Amino acid sequence: FYPNHFYYSITQGFKVAYVVFDKPSGLQAALRLSSHKTQVLSTSESPIVCGIMKWCKEYNTRIVDPELLQKDIEGFMKSYDRKANENDARDKQAMEEDNEGWITVTNK
């Protein structure tokens, strides 16, 4: 016990908030709130994640689901193979002799 020190309760959570309103009606609604009652923004029903928990959540959402990645790869490869087959068929057709006996030479 230190008689010269003040005792106070430590409030958990945020100490300061900077609020920017999209519309003037939001500002008017905020001004109508009671200033004598503490407004709690983060509740157990709708928590505001911050700090290390926020960073972990952001990191985990950046990780790609392997199944979705595999589907994207397979879709890309099907499209690539189809285009490659079309190009090969076009080149083979171009290298065939035409009605006049001419053959188009390609780099393949």
Side-chain angles (χ1 to χ4, degrees):
F1 178 74
Y2 297 99
N4 294 337
H5 289 88
F6 295 100
Y7 289 94
Y8 57 92
S9 65
I10 298 174
T11 304
Q12 296 295 323
F14 299 104
K15 306 287 187 214
V16 177
Y18 297 96
V19 180
V20 178
F21 295 96
D22 286 335
K23 299 176 184 176
S25 60
L27 173 62
Q28 295 303 321
L31 290 173
R32 286 192 295 270
L33 293 173
S34 172
S35 63
H36 301 295
K37 182 180 175 190
T38 302
Q39 302 296 322
V40 179
L41 299 177
S42 181
T43 62
S44 58
E45 293 83 29
S46 62
I48 295 175
V49 182
C50 61
I52 190 91
M53 297 298 284
K54 178 182 177 185
W55 299 332
C56 289
K57 183 179 177 182
E58 288 173 354
Y59 174 79
N60 289 332
T61 57
R62 287 191 327 215
I63 297 174
V64 178
D65 181 20
E67 293 174 4
L68 291 176
L69 181 60
Q70 186 64 37
K71 287 179 183 178
D72 286 345
I73 291 170
E74 289 171 358
F76 174 81
M77 290 308 298
K78 284 180 184 177
S79 173
Y80 177 81
D81 289 340
R82 182 178 42 80
K83 289 178 183 177
N85 289 337
E86 289 172 1
N87 289 341
D88 288 345
R90 189 175 56 241
D91 288 345
K92 284 181 184 178
Q93 184 181 7
M95 290 182 66
E96 291 178 1
E97 189 174 307
D98 64 4
N99 296 340
E100 297 177 357
W102 291 95
I103 296 176
T104 304
V105 179
T106 64
N107 62 350
K108 292 186 179 182

